[in-house]
Structure formats: structure tokens, C-alpha cells
Amino acid sequence: MTKAAAQNAETEDGGTWRFPAGQSLRLDSGASLGPLEIAYKTYGRLNADKTNAVLVCHALTGDQHLASTHPMTGKPGWWDRFVGPGKPLDTDRYFVICTNVIGGCMGSTGPASINPKTKEPYGLAFPVITIGDMVRAQAMLIEALGIDTLFAVIGGSMGGMQVLQWAADYPDKLFSAICIAAAPRHSAQNIAFHEVGRQAIMADPDWRGGAYEAQGVRPEKGLAVARMAAHITYLSEAALQRKFGRELQRDGLSWGFDADFQVESYLRHQGASFVDRFDANSYLYITRALDYFDLAAQHGGVLAQAFQAARKVRFCVLSFSSDWLYPTPESREIVRALNAAGARASFVEIETDKGHDAFFLDEPQLDAALKGFFSAGAQARGLK
């Protein structure tokens, strides 16, 4: 794709942007990544002034298919209920962009991509990446699309961390920023859960030291266990109890190790379906990027310093009362740092028992809060 073609991408629905051979991505580790490809989807149309673009950043296991049928699962996009005509992120008004992060497995350069030096999949030869690297690659795409300033960048969970990194690194390219159910750093508990998942993958005999692609196998059992462990953190205890309680799968106990309880069957299904659409090495690299995330550490240990240049950006920070993965006090810490930096920030804690994953689910308070924030921003921006 030529640069001119990329700049006309608003007339299409996205694709894969291949950066010129000489344009590599400089990583926080000191390594360079190239050749570089970023897969993305777009919804709506870019206006003549190029002032209505919204970048949506996905969570750990998400991808660019936020509001269209997923090509591997056949299911609706992960934020289909939120993006579209008349929805909170109205595609009759906004030009919505969503990229697959680098390190991912849905078209962007990642561990399963071909290493130009060996002509084989990278595997563990892929360099370690950070949230900052992901955002730097997104910024390169936005520039290639000819967009100088985003009307908004929005994301939940890992997507929210990307939002914070955008505000710290590219404040002059943002009009507004919406951070949902995220944190300014990964906690010891979160790192611990990720390590359990990574060890499950690496203990699978079919992982083969990360070279499973070349050997024609996949560490499906390990990846499924990693997904099961992580999925528990996405729900609240109240949600698990309400959905499953101690209900059995069948009449009576098996007196063995089959899935006797409905919650066991649910987790096994989550694990089994996940391996059909996600790459194990990508899971290792992206969870490591999350663990390395510490925005204050990037700015002398003072979180407010990260937002010193973002005083003109309009911020909205949202949390969920039952989220124990990224609990409300961590969102409040972000808001205090924004206030200390002199930035404009609104904050909403939404009362719900749905846990961390509430931003994926039908949550009217979230829809109303975001619709109001977008509408006020659009009026201030002069968008029709």
C-alpha cells in the first residue's frame, strides 16, 4: 500500500499498513523492529477537516475487529454494541479506527510474523515490547493516514493504559482521552496472575521453546489454562455467584475430575475457544508489556509529571465498583495526577456487580456517561 493509498483509507474499512522498508520502529528495549505491519479497521468516514477521528485501543486479548464480524470466530466485534450509527460512538459523526497492537496475532507484526533474518516465524526472537511501543506504532499509522489530531483516544483495561501513554507521549495530537477500568501501573497481584499464565504456556510440551509454529504444533492446553486463570480476574465474585453459584452440570456428582460444576464447564469453554483465535507467544509478549507498564516510573516516579503537557486535553476516567483487577482507587490515582498537572478531568465510578469486564457488557450507566462526554466534546470541537 502506498502512502497515498493509506491516506485515502477512510473510504475503505481498514486493512494492513506496511511501512516502507527503511522505516523501522525503535523500541523501548533499544531494539528496532522492521519490517513493520499494522492491521487496522475503520468505521465511518473522515470529515474534510480530519477532526473527527477516534482511536479505540483494545484490551489484552482483543484485536482490530471491534464493530464487525470476527473473521476467525464469526462472532460480532468486541464492542459492536458501542460503535455504530446512533450508538455512543456514532459512526455517522466519528471516523473510528482500531488497530491490532504490535506483538498481536491478527495481522500486526508479532511473534508469529516472519523474521526477515531467518525466513521463519520470530518465536522468541521477537523483541520484548512495551505499551509505549504499541502507542508509538499507532502514532505512526495515524500520521500515515494524514490525521494531525485525534478527536479522542479511548480504551478499557490494557486499552486504557494505551490511552494514558498517548496522553503522556502525544498530548498535542489529542483533543480528548477516555480511560476505562485501567491503572497507571501493573500491581504485584496482576503480575502474579500473568506469570501463572505464562508458566502454563511454557510448561506445555508443545510450546517447544516458542518454536512451535516451525514444528507444526501449538501449545493449546497451556494457553487454555492461561486464559482460564485470567478470565477469573475479569469477573467479580458476585457475578460468578449470580451466574453459576454451585450449580451442577448434570444430576449428581461424577466422583471424578470431569466438569461437575457449571463454573468449571464455563472456564473450560473459555479456554478451548480462546486457543482457536489467539497465539500463545503473543500472549507471553503482551502480558509482559502490561507487567512492564509503570507510567510514573517513566517520569521520575511522579505520575503527575506524565501529564504536564496534556493540560489542554479533555479527560474522562471511568471505573467499576466491583472491578478487583484494576480497582477504583487506581483510577482515582490517575485523576489526582491529572488534577495535580492542571489537566481537565471528569471521573465516574459505575456501580455494578459485573466486574472488570463490565465495559464489554450491557451497562447503561457506561453508555450514558460516554455518550454525554462525546457529545460535549463534539460540541466544543465544532463537529456536526
Side-chain angles (χ1 to χ4, degrees):
M1 183 188 296
T2 65
K3 184 170 183 178
Q7 290 176 330
N8 289 327
E10 67 270 16
T11 63
E12 306 170 1
D13 64 351
T16 300
W17 169 236
R18 297 172 180 86
F19 286 88
Q23 189 175 4
S24 60
L25 175 66
R26 185 70 173 173
L27 304 177
D28 286 335
S29 66
S32 292
L33 183 61
L36 179 65
E37 297 184 352
I38 299 177
Y40 66 102
K41 294 286 291 182
T42 65
Y43 307 85
R45 294 184 65 84
L46 190 62
N47 63 15
D49 295 332
K50 299 185 178 182
T51 57
N52 68 332
V54 177
L55 176 66
V56 179
C57 302
H58 69 72
L60 165 58
T61 62
D63 52 45
Q64 68 271 36
H65 299 282
L66 82 162
S68 50
T69 302
H70 197 284
M72 296 183 69
T73 67
K75 295 181 178 179
W78 56 267
W79 231 7
D80 184 69
R81 70 168 192 84
F82 186 78
V83 179
K87 297 180 180 181
L89 199 44
D90 190 345
T91 49
D92 287 337
R93 171 178 271 184
Y94 308 114
F95 176 58
V96 182
I97 309 162
C98 187
T99 77
N100 183 213
V101 297
I102 60 165
C105 52
M106 283 300 295
S108 292
T109 302
S113 302
I114 299 300
N115 184 341
K117 295 180 180 178
T118 65
K119 310 304 180 185
E120 297 282 348
Y122 275 103
L124 293 193
F126 192 75
V128 172
I129 56 170
T130 66
I131 299 297
D133 296 330
M134 295 175 184
V135 167
R136 202 170 300 115
Q138 291 167 348
M140 291 167 67
L141 174 66
I142 296 303
E143 181 181 1
L145 293 175
I147 299 169
D148 292 328
T149 305
L150 291 165
F151 168 65
V153 58
I154 180 173
S157 192
M158 185 182 85
M161 294 180 181
Q162 293 168 65
V163 169
L164 298 178
Q165 193 77 57
W166 262 96
D169 292 352
Y170 301 100
D172 57 328
K173 294 184 179 295
L174 299 181
F175 179 78
S176 61
I178 304 95
C179 175
I180 308 170
R185 72 186 63 81
H186 235 209
S187 68
Q189 177 177 264
N190 292 340
I191 294 170
F193 271 108
H194 279 174
E195 178 62 4
V196 169
R198 288 191 293 264
Q199 289 299 319
I201 291 169
M202 293 187 285
D204 189 317
D206 284 336
W207 184 60
R208 308 287 175 89
Y212 52 88
E213 287 276 353
Q215 299 180 39
V217 295
R218 299 175 69 224
E220 294 183 352
K221 293 180 180 178
L223 181 58
V225 171
R227 173 63 169 178
M228 290 167 67
H231 199 75
I232 295 169
T233 71
Y234 304 152
L235 305 173
S236 69
E237 182 181 5
L240 282 170
Q241 186 64 29
R242 172 169 45 80
K243 291 179 69 172
F244 305 110
R246 289 181 54 85
E247 295 298 316
L248 299 175
Q249 276 292 95
R250 61 188 70 80
D251 293 335
L253 301 174
S254 69
W255 300 105
F257 298 99
D258 290 337
D260 281 348
F261 297 95
Q262 288 184 7
V263 68
E264 293 176 310
S265 179
Y266 171 76
L267 288 175
R268 292 186 185 189
H269 170 72
Q270 288 294 326
S273 60
F274 183 62
V275 302
D276 292 333
R277 69 173 181 86
F278 214 84
D279 176 65
N281 282 338
S282 281
Y283 194 87
L284 299 181
Y285 277 86
I286 296 175
T287 57
R288 189 44 120 194
L290 278 164
D291 293 345
Y292 280 179
F293 183 70
D294 185 344
L295 195 58
Q298 300 172 30
H299 295 271
V302 181
L303 186 58
Q305 291 294 331
F307 306 119
Q308 284 297 313
R311 295 173 183 174
K312 294 182 179 179
V313 180
R314 302 163 67 100
F315 287 91
C316 180
V317 179
L318 299 106
S319 70
F320 302 112
S321 60
S322 56
D323 184 353
W324 59 277
L325 183 64
Y326 301 124
T328 292
E330 296 185 332
S331 289
R332 292 188 185 278
E333 182 182 0
I334 295 168
V335 175
R336 285 195 296 269
L338 288 168
N339 290 337
R344 295 174 291 179
S346 58
F347 171 67
V348 179
E349 181 188 30
I350 295 171
E351 291 291 331
T352 177
D353 72 350
K354 295 174 183 174
H356 179 68
D357 265 4
F359 69 95
F360 290 124
L361 307 174
D362 183 16
E363 192 57 69
Q365 292 182 67
L366 174 65
D367 291 5
L370 292 178
K371 198 165 188 176
F373 182 79
F374 274 116
S375 294
Q379 184 175 2
R381 182 75 162 166
L383 298 180
K384 296 180 179 180

